[in-house]
Amino acid sequence: MTDDLLDPANPALLPAGLSDLLPPEAAREAALVEAMMAVFASHGYERVKPPLLEFEEGLLTGSGAALAEQTFRLMDPVSQRMMGLRADTTPQVARIAATRLRGAPRPLRLSYAGQVLRVRGTQIAPGRQLPQLGVELIGVDSAEADAEVAALGVEALAAVGIADVALDITLPAMSPALLDAAGLEGAARHRLARALDRKDAAEVARLAEMAGPPAIFLTELLAAAGPADGALAALRAAPLPEEPRRIADNAAEVVAALRRRLPGLRITLDPVEFRGFRYHTGAAFTLYGPGRTGELGRGGRYRSGEEAATGLSLYPDAALRASPVPAEPRRVFLPAGHDPSAAASLRRAGFVTIAALSPADDAQGLGCTHELRGTQAVPLSKE
Amino acid sequence: MTDDLLDPANPALLPAGLSDLLPPEAAREAALVEAMMAVFASHGYERVKPPLLEFEEGLLTGSGAALAEQTFRLMDPVSQRMMGLRADTTPQVARIAATRLRGAPRPLRLSYAGQVLRVRGTQIAPGRQLPQLGVELIGVDSAEADAEVAALGVEALAAVGIADVALDITLPAMSPALLDAAGLEGAARHRLARALDRKDAAEVARLAEMAGPPAIFLTELLAAAGPADGALAALRAAPLPEEPRRIADNAAEVVAALRRRLPGLRITLDPVEFRGFRYHTGAAFTLYGPGRTGELGRGGRYRSGEEAATGLSLYPDAALRASPVPAEPRRVFLPAGHDPSAAASLRRAGFVTIAALSPADDAQGLGCTHELRGTQAVPLSKE
């Protein structure tokens, strides 16, 4: 983009995966975050702001254990203990709920917004600093709670102009429960889990057949992935063992609770998917934008310390790509000696004002669309 | 605050100087930041968002050199180069202005908001993670530019309810210029600089007398600190050598430009103060809140790479302490089976709604002030 990037002595200005957000995107991202946080607040989710750095024990327990390899660590010269730069905010919110807010009434509704940092990006998501915002609903274990959180994500995205969001529900505990019920262990279990992970239907069918009765449902449930109504019908029809049946019934309750809140929402259900939900204990969900905008957020049921919880994270960088670009503000040039109260009125009316600081300042060169003459903003003619 | 803090096996939940911001302060801080950023935007300052981490060379050049000891460093496993966690945002904005925005028209107006981290806190400011927001006005060297930036700080603080702000101007180049003019070097210069730093008037007088003519003004200028008009009169009256005269005349211009913008602003001027302004090249300023609220922001003229610049940082943590506490929102309990459109109307009207998720949920226990009955929010009687 600039010569500096081509300078062989200075191969990159910034480390891979770390970047500057420039105008107007930085302002748009901040506006999206605050608009979504306002939706959370309107439903009683109160904001907390944990620090970016804390002792690694705090960051890497509970749901944080999954992110240990992705957490930057550094020595605290004050305490001589290792600290981590957070790679996720959920473990910090769990810590707050279990300590300083232990005495607060349940269900406890909390929200957060901030940056997370990761040691390495992935091929799909090369960023190593990611904005993140979300909610945690702590101390309640019910389908209503799951539905409240998932619906909140849809409402927050709608508030920033992202309509037509689709919700994909997964049941990360279903496959392990079926493998347990089939008594599968060791290499046989590992092979079947890998085939499920790859969605290799032929291999799942072959291995499940060998494994016997309850594993056979894996083939059916793999095929049942799709619109929620069809998937739920398949789950109802299958004579599942006890634990898988409980998981299936819970999924049906969550979908029903969501339908009551958002009758028009597109819901899909993939009963045997479990990728990327390493700490979820119940229904998990992913929010997708329309078209090719991809994943906008993710959440689900988990354990927050000793308590039942449901959480949701939204990705403002993805929302930025998916949301409509607002109109550029009108920019008014204020010549030397202008009337300051007229300029203040224009700012209150939504204009951006650019004051002349020297005779060299040029209205059009500075991107102004208008100029203040007397008390009026006069459009500049385009040349 | 909690038992965990008293647990001898777990002496502190968080490293010294790092803390959680809880409800309602976290939401208040975020609202203050965005309200102040909106003021900056209305004057044409466009937001940038540099990353929290970057190569240390980028962070520690220019104005960043002063913060080298305060910058957390860590090895980037991807590039095998050292990175720093920013201790200040100004060097990053300078980098952006000099590279990706090199071709943007000048004066370039940029703003930022985010967190900075420091290796150690100070006794007065023990925090090691500080929120910071600010502006940089790059590519213009004039009293008008200094006044625009200082006035912007006052306007931003007023927008969050902090009126009656006082502005203290210092001229960090004045003392060195007088010491230069007196030809003072080595130990003699160091002693006089230290006496000035301690504001030890008797010692300054004694040493200045020994040093001879131009140094003698230091005694007068130390005594002249106070309301700007008096201090400027003392500067005018003193027969200063060339460079100190230029600095004094510039101060008078900056004060005059500020008076035109904010006729009622309390301005003090301390001509020989230079503490804490290690990279400022012209007029520097500090904003103080009323009463004992202390320092709310700081800024001044500096070099941004090859360009003239003026900047300002505001401290949202200090603004949080100084600004009025807003009224708590009304919280409406939504019983099971409530009318969702009535609840949505209440949220649009500024109510916070708390939906019942189980029969155990209790309106007053959850801090609700109202309950939805039919389509009406009915106040709960206090018991």
Side-chain angles (χ1 to χ4, degrees), chain B residues 218-313:
Chain B
L218 287 168
T219 314
E220 276 174 48
L221 298 187
L222 186 62
D229 292 341
L232 288 175
L235 286 174
R236 262 197 311 277
L240 295 169
E242 190 179 341
E243 181 60 11
R245 168 54 51 211
R246 199 195 58 72
I247 295 168
D249 290 350
N250 177 250
E253 278 180 61
V254 171
V255 171
L258 262 166
R259 292 256 187 261
R260 283 195 295 277
R261 284 171 171 77
L262 298 168
L265 181 64
R266 278 188 297 140
I267 309 178
T268 52
L269 174 60
D270 190 342
V272 295
E273 170 75 51
F274 56 90
R275 281 179 297 184
F277 294 96
R278 287 194 277 179
Y279 60 84
H280 289 87
T281 57
F285 46 84
T286 308
L287 290 160
Y288 291 97
R292 302 179 59 185
T293 50
E295 200 172 313
L296 297 171
R298 178 175 277 217
R301 179 153 293 284
Y302 68 101
R303 298 291 300 174
S304 176
E306 302 294 306
E307 297 183 272
T310 309
L312 164 75
S313 283

Side-chain angles (χ1 to χ4, degrees), chain A residues 53 61 77 92 102 109 125 128 146 150 153 159 161 178 195-196 203 215 222 230 249 281 319 375 381:
Chain A
L53 274 174
T61 53
Q92 299 190 298
R102 187 168 48 185
R109 290 174 169 92
R128 296 201 284 165
D146 293 338
L178 282 169
L196 278 170
E203 181 74 354
L222 187 61
D249 290 350
T281 58
T375 60
S381 58

Side-chain angles (χ1 to χ4, degrees), chain A residues 97-115:
Chain A
T99 56
R100 294 185 65 188
L101 297 182
R102 187 168 48 185
R106 264 51 178 174
L108 181 62
R109 290 174 169 92
L110 297 176
S111 66
Y112 61 86
Q115 310 298 309

Side-chain angles (χ1 to χ4, degrees), chain A residues 2-4 12-15 18-23 26-27 29-30 34 41-44 46-55 72 74 76-78 81 83 95-96 99-100 102 105-107 109 115 117 119-120 128-129 131 137 142 144-145 148 347 352-355 357 361 365-366, chain B residues 1-4 12-15 18-23 26-27 29-30 34 41-44 46-55 72 74 76-78 81 83 95-96 99-100 102 105-107 109 115 117 119-120 128-129 131 137 144-145 148 347 352-355 357 361 365-366:
Chain A
T2 73
D3 292 352
D4 303 76
L13 279 173
L14 288 174
L18 295 167
S19 56
D20 297 312
L21 213 53
L22 296 183
E29 185 186 277
E34 294 308 320
S42 76
H43 286 269
E46 296 193 282
R47 192 169 189 144
V48 293
K49 183 194 169 200
L52 285 161
L53 274 174
E54 61 172 277
F55 291 132
F72 279 114
L74 38 86
D76 179 12
V78 174
R81 289 170 64 188
M83 302 193 294
R95 175 181 54 69
I96 291 172
T99 56
R100 294 185 65 188
R102 187 168 48 185
R106 264 51 178 174
R109 290 174 169 92
Q115 310 298 309
L117 287 142
V119 171
R120 289 175 197 278
R128 296 201 284 165
Q129 175 177 333
L137 174 52
S142 73
E144 288 297 331
E148 171 168 306
R347 284 191 293 272
V352 165
T353 63
I354 308 290
L357 295 173
D361 289 355
L366 291 168
Chain B
M1 206 124 194
T2 73
D3 292 351
D4 303 77
L13 280 173
L14 289 175
L18 295 167
S19 57
D20 298 311
L21 212 54
L22 297 184
E29 184 185 277
E34 293 308 320
S42 75
H43 286 269
E46 296 195 282
R47 192 171 189 140
V48 294
K49 183 193 170 201
L52 285 161
L53 274 175
E54 60 172 278
F55 292 131
F72 279 114
L74 39 86
D76 178 12
V78 174
R81 288 170 66 188
M83 302 192 293
R95 176 182 52 71
I96 291 171
T99 55
R100 294 185 64 187
R102 187 168 48 188
R106 265 49 178 175
R109 289 171 168 94
Q115 309 299 310
L117 287 141
V119 171
R120 289 176 197 277
R128 296 201 285 166
Q129 176 177 333
L137 173 52
E144 289 296 331
E148 172 168 306
R347 284 190 294 273
V352 166
T353 63
I354 308 290
L357 294 173
D361 288 355
L366 290 169

Side-chain angles (χ1 to χ4, degrees), chain A residues 27 329-334 343-355 368, chain B residues 34-47 109 111 135 148 151-152 155-156 159:
Chain A
R330 294 165 300 176
R331 287 164 68 94
V332 189
F333 186 73
L334 307 177
S345 299
L346 288 172
R347 284 191 293 272
R348 280 192 297 273
F351 281 89
V352 165
T353 63
I354 308 290
C368 293
Chain B
E34 293 308 320
M36 294 193 281
M37 291 298 283
V39 170
F40 299 160
S42 75
H43 286 269
Y45 287 78
E46 296 195 282
R47 192 171 189 140
R109 289 171 168 94
S111 67
V135 294
E148 172 168 306
L152 206 49
E155 184 178 338

Side-chain angles (χ1 to χ4, degrees), chain A residues 73-313:
Chain A
R73 276 168 247 200
L74 38 86
M75 173 62 78
D76 179 12
V78 174
S79 63
Q80 301 290 326
R81 289 170 64 188
M82 288 305 286
M83 302 193 294
L85 257 172
R86 69 161 172 245
D88 187 24
T89 316
T90 298
Q92 299 190 298
V93 179
R95 175 181 54 69
I96 291 172
T99 56
R100 294 185 65 188
L101 297 182
R102 187 168 48 185
R106 264 51 178 174
L108 181 62
R109 290 174 169 92
L110 297 176
S111 66
Y112 61 86
Q115 310 298 309
V116 298
L117 287 142
R118 299 187 177 171
V119 171
R120 289 175 197 278
T122 64
Q123 206 151 22
I124 304 168
R128 296 201 284 165
Q129 175 177 333
L130 303 171
Q132 197 189 51
L133 80 164
V135 294
E136 311 290 350
L137 174 52
I138 296 168
V140 55
D141 184 0
S142 73
E144 288 297 331
D146 293 338
E148 171 168 306
V149 166
L152 205 50
V154 176
E155 185 179 337
L157 292 166
V160 298
I162 308 175
D164 202 22
V165 160
L167 183 82
D168 186 52
I169 298 180
T170 54
L171 309 171
M174 177 63 91
S175 293
L178 282 169
L179 296 173
D180 285 349
L184 274 176
E185 286 175 2
R189 183 186 180 105
H190 183 69
R191 270 198 300 277
L192 193 38
R194 279 205 53 203
L196 278 170
D197 192 22
R198 291 197 311 270
K199 296 200 178 286
D200 180 343
E203 181 74 354
V204 170
R206 192 180 71 81
L207 294 168
E209 189 111 6
M210 281 166 59
I216 276 180
F217 299 125
L218 287 169
T219 314
E220 276 174 47
L221 298 188
L222 187 61
D229 292 342
L232 288 174
L235 285 174
R236 263 196 311 276
L240 295 170
E242 190 178 342
E243 181 60 12
R245 168 53 50 211
R246 198 196 58 72
I247 295 167
D249 290 350
N250 176 251
E253 278 180 61
V254 172
V255 171
L258 263 166
R259 292 256 186 260
R260 283 194 295 276
R261 284 171 170 76
L262 297 167
L265 181 65
R266 277 189 299 140
I267 309 178
T268 53
L269 175 61
D270 190 342
V272 295
E273 170 76 50
F274 56 90
R275 281 179 297 183
F277 296 94
R278 286 195 276 180
Y279 59 84
H280 290 87
T281 58
F285 47 84
T286 307
L287 290 160
Y288 291 97
R292 302 180 59 184
T293 51
E295 200 172 313
L296 298 172
R298 177 175 278 217
R301 179 150 293 284
Y302 69 102
R303 298 291 299 176
S304 176
E306 302 294 306
E307 298 183 273
T310 309
L312 164 75
S313 283

Side-chain angles (χ1 to χ4, degrees), chain B residues 300-335:
Chain B
R301 179 153 293 284
Y302 68 101
R303 298 291 300 174
S304 176
E306 302 294 306
E307 297 183 272
T310 309
L312 164 75
S313 283
L314 294 176
Y315 313 140
D317 51 340
L320 188 65
R321 293 188 295 270
S323 72
V325 176
E328 289 278 308
R330 293 165 301 176
R331 287 164 68 94
V332 190
F333 185 73
L334 306 177

